[in-house]
Amino acid sequence: MAILSQSEAQGILQKVMSFSKADECEATLSGQTGGNVRSARNAISTSGAVDNVNLTVEARFGKRSGVATCNQFDDATLRSCVQRAEEIARLAPESPEYMPLLGPQKYLPSTNSFAKATADITPDYRATQVGASMKLCDEKKLTSAAFLNDGAGFVAKRNNKGLEAYQQTSGLDFSITVRTPDGTGSGYATADYTDAGKFDARRLTQIAADKATGSRNAQALEPGKYTVILEPAALVANSDASLMAALMGALDARSADEGRSFLSKKGGGNRKGEKMFDERVTIYSDPTHPELGDLTFSGDGRPQQKITWIEKGVVKNLYTSRYWAQKAGIPDIPRPGGWIMEGGTQSTADLIKGTQRGILVTRLWYIRPVDPQTLLYTGLTRDGTFYIENGKIKHPVKNFRFNESPIIMLNNLEAIGKPVRVNGNLVPPLKIRDFTFTSLSDAV
């Protein structure tokens, strides 16, 4: 039942609306089916599956709102869920930032967010892919830990003001860490896809294995400022935080207007329209991009459009809530899903060839904020850090702790490579001068 058709989903939501006695009512129905496999020490450790549909109902009386959820869709359960939302709404305090629900909206056509090949994944497929990964590591006498997760689903929305939305989605992501038997070498690789037909676990495992074997017996370098090449995974692939995610998350109009952001102006206002980065930096979002395919509507039902956030180093747009857009009299732009950073044609290998001396960073982790106002972050390199000399990787180096801001980083841009998909975004490898390493780390 997890992937309902548009007519099936909207049929349930229409019934929800018919049960509502609130001034305003909005319901969101979402479902997902999929599974996962986790491996450790070249053996399957866990597997799981999900198959669920969930309904969220929001009822409003004036400026008071209440929310209730359920995952059964017979008339009695739907009516009870609506009534519970209404009971909570009557007890809730008034919202000081109330905005009426949206009426009918026009959304871009969604052509790239769903792939049948991903929806059709079976446990045998997962076992075959992870099995090929583990076999490669066995052959090379390396140890691996990996996670494969896939799913397909839908999101549908409806309210009593005339809004109606529906879209199907799918995705697969895979990450793997490979270690040498002596524990001195480690490598990492990750990738994600809308269409599972593009996925090859063995190929990604080979990348991680090469980094692991190449990073054994690392040599120590003095901390300091270095020219670095940051692979795309070092820029965005981190479950906790990442330098580029920190930048994109800071493009918020309210925090800028209220003086809480690097985009805040002394005395009030924000720095939208100012050149703040190297002129080669252009970042935009496009929910219909052929390599990403995000939802074409936001959580509150606003349409997602193609938006340029930074153009040739100039901050062009900031995202905002509907409330703040109305209060500040600014464009009403929702926060994007994935985003695209424009780049060139060079691969990471090409950037290495053009580097006289520098450090290749393949992954950053344990990234934490130091100064939110300047977006200064600290963290560690991990899973393969290498010294470059005369256009070649000379030897692995011990890992570093870094202190760096993406604002400074994107003003010290030496070269920009070809964007690749990582963590739902398109990100190029970057060559950065004067990247700050503050100390050594014993992490492998």
Side-chain angles (χ1 to χ4, degrees):
M1 185 182 181
I3 304 182
L4 301 182
S5 68
Q6 184 169 359
S7 61
E8 290 171 330
Q10 291 297 340
I12 293 172
L13 295 179
Q14 283 178 317
K15 192 172 289 187
V16 170
M17 294 301 115
S18 73
F19 293 147
S20 172
K21 295 181 174 59
D23 299 338
E24 296 180 289
C25 181
E26 183 165 277
T28 302
L29 190 65
S30 60
Q32 186 180 33
T33 181
N36 62 77
V37 171
R38 189 184 301 273
S39 67
R41 295 185 179 276
N42 299 357
I44 297 293
S45 58
T46 65
S47 64
V50 60
D51 189 358
N52 188 45
V53 181
N54 186 70
L55 174 71
T56 301
V57 178
E58 181 185 6
R60 295 180 175 187
F61 292 99
K63 296 181 179 181
R64 305 174 189 272
S65 70
V67 174
T69 64
C70 65
N71 61 1
Q72 297 183 61
F73 308 110
D74 58 277
D75 286 5
T77 303
L78 292 176
R79 191 187 302 274
S80 176
C81 187
V82 172
Q83 290 173 347
R84 181 59 177 154
E86 292 175 353
E87 291 170 0
I88 295 170
R90 290 189 177 96
L91 295 171
E94 290 190 347
S95 169
E97 299 185 3
Y98 164 82
M99 291 293 293
L101 294 177
L102 292 169
Q105 303 290 308
K106 290 185 178 180
Y107 301 115
L108 294 170
S110 57
T111 57
N112 306 303
S113 63
F114 177 84
K116 189 174 184 300
T118 310
D120 289 343
I121 285 177
T122 64
D124 283 347
Y125 172 89
R126 297 182 198 109
T128 299
Q129 288 281 358
V130 176
S133 170
M134 295 187 299
K135 182 180 178 182
L136 185 148
C137 292
D138 281 334
E139 292 170 348
K140 293 179 176 292
K141 294 181 170 45
L142 300 170
T143 302
S144 67
F147 184 60
L148 168 62
N149 185 53
D150 64 83
F154 74 95
V155 180
K157 295 183 72 70
R158 192 179 192 93
N159 68 29
N160 62 355
K161 297 294 187 69
L163 181 143
E164 182 179 339
Y166 175 88
Q167 189 169 341
Q168 291 186 353
T169 61
S170 68
L172 177 152
D173 58 84
F174 178 77
S175 61
I176 183 165
T177 301
V178 176
R179 290 284 180 97
T180 58
D182 60 6
T184 67
S186 182
Y188 177 80
T190 185
D192 63 291
Y193 310 91
T194 302
D195 184 353
K198 300 178 180 180
F199 172 54
D200 183 350
R202 186 179 176 92
R203 180 185 65 82
L204 291 165
T205 303
Q206 183 68 64
I207 293 171
D210 290 344
K211 291 177 180 176
T213 55
S215 63
R216 287 177 296 187
N217 303 314
Q219 302 177 29
L221 287 183
E222 284 296 318
K225 291 185 179 293
Y226 287 87
T227 294
V228 300
I229 295 172
L230 297 167
E231 290 192 352
L235 291 165
V236 294
N238 193 297
S239 59
D240 295 318
S242 70
L243 292 176
M244 290 303 299
L247 172 63
M248 296 305 296
L251 299 180
D252 170 56
R254 183 170 188 170
S255 60
D257 292 342
E258 292 182 339
R260 298 182 284 112
S261 163
F262 82 97
L263 290 168
S264 301
K265 273 187 175 179
K266 290 184 178 180
N270 63 58
R271 302 181 69 180
K272 176 183 171 182
E274 294 187 23
K275 186 175 183 296
M276 299 193 67
F277 308 99
D278 186 287
E279 63 183 13
R280 289 168 288 181
V281 176
T282 293
I283 301 175
Y284 67 97
S285 58
D286 180 359
T288 64
H289 192 285
E291 292 189 52
L292 296 183
D294 281 324
L295 286 175
T296 59
F297 51 91
S298 61
D300 59 9
R302 285 181 287 173
Q304 292 281 16
Q305 306 286 346
K306 182 177 180 179
I307 298 289
T308 299
W309 303 97
I310 300 169
E311 184 175 41
K312 295 182 178 179
V314 177
V315 178
K316 301 294 288 187
N317 284 292
L318 302 176
Y319 66 83
T320 179
S321 66
R322 292 176 59 216
Y323 166 79
W324 193 257
Q326 182 184 77
K327 180 179 175 67
I330 58 177
D332 181 1
I333 304 174
R335 182 169 180 163
W339 44 268
I340 301 101
M341 182 174 180
E342 291 186 352
T345 60
Q346 292 182 301
S347 65
T348 299
D350 294 329
L351 295 181
I352 292 170
K353 289 177 183 177
T355 301
Q356 194 68 21
R357 286 182 177 81
I359 294 175
L360 172 64
V361 177
T362 62
R363 191 184 181 198
L364 299 176
W365 77 297
Y366 207 69
I367 301 170
R368 296 293 184 268
V370 176
D371 181 3
Q373 195 102 26
T374 61
L375 286 189
L376 181 64
Y377 278 74
T378 189
L380 302 167
T381 67
R382 189 179 183 181
D383 296 320
T385 307
F386 303 91
Y387 181 65
I388 302 167
E389 188 172 273
N390 298 325
K392 295 181 180 180
I393 292 177
K394 188 173 182 181
H395 57 74
V397 296
K398 287 192 174 181
N399 285 303
F400 292 102
R401 174 169 291 281
F402 71 87
N403 273 19
E404 195 57 81
S405 164
I407 306 166
I408 297 171
M409 184 178 78
L410 294 180
N411 275 289
N412 289 340
L413 188 60
E414 289 282 316
I416 184 168
K418 182 179 180 180
V420 298
R421 176 168 168 167
V422 181
N423 204 19
N425 310 292
L426 285 178
V427 189
L430 300 179
K431 182 178 176 181
I432 307 293
R433 65 179 177 273
D434 293 335
F435 193 89
T436 305
F437 294 119
T438 56
S439 62
L440 293 177
S441 165
D442 289 329
V444 176

